[in-house]
Amino acid sequence: MIKLKTLYAHPLQAIGFLLLALTFLHFIGLKIEPVSFTARAYIGEFEFLTGVWCWTLASLLIISATRPSFIEKFGSLDQYYRLHKITGYCCAALTFIHIFSKEIGIAVLPALLSFEPAQPKIKGTGITSLLRPFAIDSSLIVAVIALILIAATLCLFIRYRFWLKMHRLFPLCYIILAVHVFVLMKANQWVTPLGIFTALLTIISIFYCFKSLLGFTGKSHCFNSCLTEKSLSDKYLKLTFTKSPSAPKVTAGNFIFIRKQGENPHPYTVAVADDTTITVIIRNKGYFAEQLKKLNIKDKVLLEGPYGSFFLEPPWHQSSLWIGQGVGMTALFSAVSKLVNSKIGGSLHILILTRDADHDNLVAELKQNIDKTAAKSKITLKIHDSLNGRISQQEIDSLMRQRYSSVYFCGDAKVRDLFFKSYVRQGGIKQNFYSEHCLWR
């Protein structure tokens, strides 16, 4: 049995498995409702299958974008968003195939099979015939808009808040394209397993479209909090919120969305948490940081979460490497605090990648926390100051030659990939390299 968490870790394989399953359903449908052995019929079925491929991926994108409560039962939301992003790219590629499916079928199928002559086509009547021109023309326009929105994800110069607002057009595009689906699908296709699946998935997805358009995205995970502490330095902004003990349990390494009134919700990694408080530490840079600095003590703030599954575990018996880059080092705070009264059987190496380390108050705070631990003799702290240049591949490879049993990374995705590839090259097990999936676009 294929586990969903495994599929999250291998998004292309997961999408490929889904497309194969849809193709299998289509072949079952052809057994139930055979089509005539003509080029027109087979090209029509090819159009139908490629359309269902696109539509299924688009439906999953719509559902997952609303952050429904059931998604994290199968795996963490940050991992699911990685799957979500790659699904969007695959959906765009398949959309091109579907748009030109008729031309592809005309060019390929007659060369492979000797078809019977087709009967004259009978012009349809009724409401579907009247809506057919609208379904065809509008779908092309909306498909182009959707492809532009997906392409915008790759344009990193577009600010996150604008990109997020642009994404709100997707539910509207989906509803318009639903007309295309219901008008252009043939009556005999609706009664096949693939047709029934498409109908049910479309109805469910339209429900989530309206949920998104009405502003209910993530509302099932929301809880109230109050800002009780705010501190600001040149590099970081630290916010501490209190919550009711009955609110969802939040653990350091989770991430939460801070939903400031009038602004898009934005995700942040939790640095420290207990039954009643949540602390986040973010870079004092950018639009969202400026908006959060406007919060005052005792302000009521709506939080959403917790999401994610990035938890650092002390090396009780083996050697581990913890890497924190910039503000990503905050994920280490809670983990180090676990070692205050604990002994570890293995060794722990901590690598901090930061800029101007001598004036970084987070580095100083982390050093103080390590000095308080009972196992500080087994903890090695190394600071790499980017003022002296970025860490080189040679330095990374040299570090990974120590064959750590596990590696935890929190920071930039590009830097993470350098460490991950080096860890695997040196014989490390892929599953023992842990990191949060922090790319939201």
Side-chain angles (χ1 to χ4, degrees):
M1 181 178 178
I2 299 178
K3 295 182 179 179
L4 286 176
K5 289 185 179 181
T6 303
L7 295 181
Y8 284 5
H10 302 89
L12 288 176
Q13 290 91 323
I15 294 167
F17 177 80
L18 175 61
L19 298 182
L20 283 174
L22 293 173
T23 305
F24 179 71
L25 275 181
H26 182 55
F27 281 122
I28 293 176
L30 291 176
K31 293 292 184 182
I32 298 172
E33 287 285 334
V35 297
S36 59
F37 190 64
T38 63
R40 182 194 299 157
Y42 271 62
I43 291 170
E45 291 303 313
F46 180 62
E47 285 184 281
F48 172 52
L49 179 59
T50 56
V52 172
W53 284 349
C54 302
W55 192 242
T56 300
L57 295 186
S59 300
L60 295 178
L61 290 171
I62 288 293
I63 294 171
S64 63
T66 61
R67 301 193 288 275
S69 56
F70 62 81
I71 279 185
E72 285 232 329
K73 293 180 181 179
F74 307 115
S76 63
L77 187 68
D78 52 336
Q79 290 178 319
Y80 189 87
Y81 264 120
R82 179 168 171 258
L83 177 60
H84 174 98
K85 181 172 68 173
I86 294 174
T87 300
Y89 298 148
C90 291
C91 185
L94 290 173
T95 297
F96 277 107
I97 294 175
H98 177 62
I99 290 172
F100 297 103
S101 58
K102 187 174 182 178
E103 288 76 10
I104 294 170
I106 291 171
V108 175
L109 290 178
L112 298 176
L113 300 168
S114 298
F115 292 106
E116 298 172 356
Q119 296 296 322
K121 194 172 183 179
I122 300 173
K123 189 174 181 180
T125 58
I127 190 169
T128 56
S129 297
L130 294 174
L131 289 173
R132 189 177 181 86
F134 169 79
I136 294 173
D137 296 339
S138 63
S139 65
L140 286 173
I141 296 171
V142 172
V144 170
I145 293 172
L147 289 172
I148 292 172
L149 293 175
I150 292 174
T153 303
L154 299 172
C155 301
L156 298 181
F157 60 83
I158 298 176
R159 297 295 182 105
Y160 178 84
R161 65 182 186 278
F162 297 131
W163 171 82
L164 202 57
K165 288 178 180 177
M166 290 167 60
H167 256 52
R168 290 179 178 173
L169 290 173
F170 273 114
L172 193 58
C173 291
Y174 186 92
I175 292 171
I176 296 172
L177 287 173
V179 177
H180 170 87
V181 172
F182 282 107
V183 169
L184 296 187
M185 274 182 65
K186 300 172 185 175
N188 65 314
Q189 291 172 335
W190 285 113
V191 297
T192 64
L194 196 58
I196 294 170
F197 168 80
T198 301
L200 292 174
L201 184 62
T202 303
I203 292 169
I204 293 169
S205 300
I206 288 175
F207 166 77
Y208 280 101
C209 282
F210 283 107
K211 188 176 179 181
S212 176
L213 290 171
L214 294 173
F216 288 101
T217 297
K219 281 292 181 71
S220 59
H221 281 88
C222 289
F223 57 94
N224 293 314
S225 71
C226 177
L227 181 66
T228 54
E229 182 183 337
K230 181 173 75 170
S231 59
L232 183 65
S233 67
D234 291 339
K235 296 176 69 174
Y236 305 111
L237 170 64
K238 182 178 181 181
L239 302 172
T240 299
F241 302 92
T242 58
K243 67 179 183 69
S244 167
S246 61
K249 183 179 179 182
V250 180
T251 306
N254 284 141
F255 62 91
I256 58 170
F257 285 83
I258 299 178
R259 302 175 70 103
K260 188 175 181 292
Q261 189 172 7
E263 298 292 337
N264 292 316
H266 196 276
Y268 298 98
T269 301
V270 176
V272 181
D274 56 33
D275 290 339
T276 58
T277 63
I278 300 169
T279 299
V280 296
I281 304 174
I282 67 175
R283 285 191 301 171
N284 183 16
K285 180 181 179 182
Y287 175 82
F288 288 101
E290 290 300 319
Q291 297 307 306
L292 291 178
K293 282 192 284 188
K294 295 177 183 177
L295 289 173
N296 299 312
I297 301 299
K298 296 186 179 180
D299 277 358
K300 303 294 182 183
V301 181
L302 193 63
L303 302 180
E304 179 193 335
Y307 298 114
S309 60
F310 180 67
F311 307 113
L312 294 102
E313 293 296 336
W316 302 118
H317 302 293
Q318 297 175 309
S319 62
S320 290
L321 172 64
W322 293 354
I323 307 166
Q325 182 189 17
V327 75
M329 75 179 83
T330 59
L332 309 180
F333 285 10
S334 182
V336 169
S337 67
K338 293 179 182 179
L339 303 175
V340 171
N341 298 312
S342 303
K343 294 181 179 180
I344 57 177
S347 59
L348 173 60
H349 286 210
I350 298 177
L351 172 64
I352 300 300
L353 308 174
T354 189
R355 186 177 181 83
D356 196 12
D358 292 338
H359 299 92
D360 193 321
N361 57 320
L362 288 187
V363 172
E365 187 175 344
L366 183 62
K367 287 179 178 178
Q368 291 174 2
N369 290 346
I370 291 174
D371 288 339
K372 295 176 184 177
T373 65
K376 63 180 181 180
S377 61
K378 295 188 176 182
I379 299 175
T380 302
L381 176 65
K382 181 179 179 181
I383 310 293
H384 180 90
D385 197 325
S386 58
L387 281 178
N388 303 319
R390 291 188 175 186
I391 190 167
S392 67
Q393 188 64 60
Q394 291 78 9
E395 290 176 291
I396 294 173
D397 290 339
S398 176
L399 187 65
M400 291 303 173
R401 289 192 190 100
Q402 300 188 42
R403 301 291 182 90
Y404 296 103
S405 59
S406 61
V407 176
Y408 295 79
F409 181 92
C410 191
D412 181 74
K414 292 182 180 179
V415 179
R416 175 197 65 200
D417 291 342
L418 294 176
F419 279 94
F420 174 72
K421 290 175 182 178
S422 178
Y423 180 65
V424 173
R425 280 199 304 269
Q426 302 298 333
I429 301 172
K430 290 182 180 180
Q431 290 77 9
N432 290 347
F433 189 101
Y434 305 92
S435 69
E436 62 176 355
H437 299 280
C438 54
L439 288 182
W440 294 89
R441 53 178 294 189

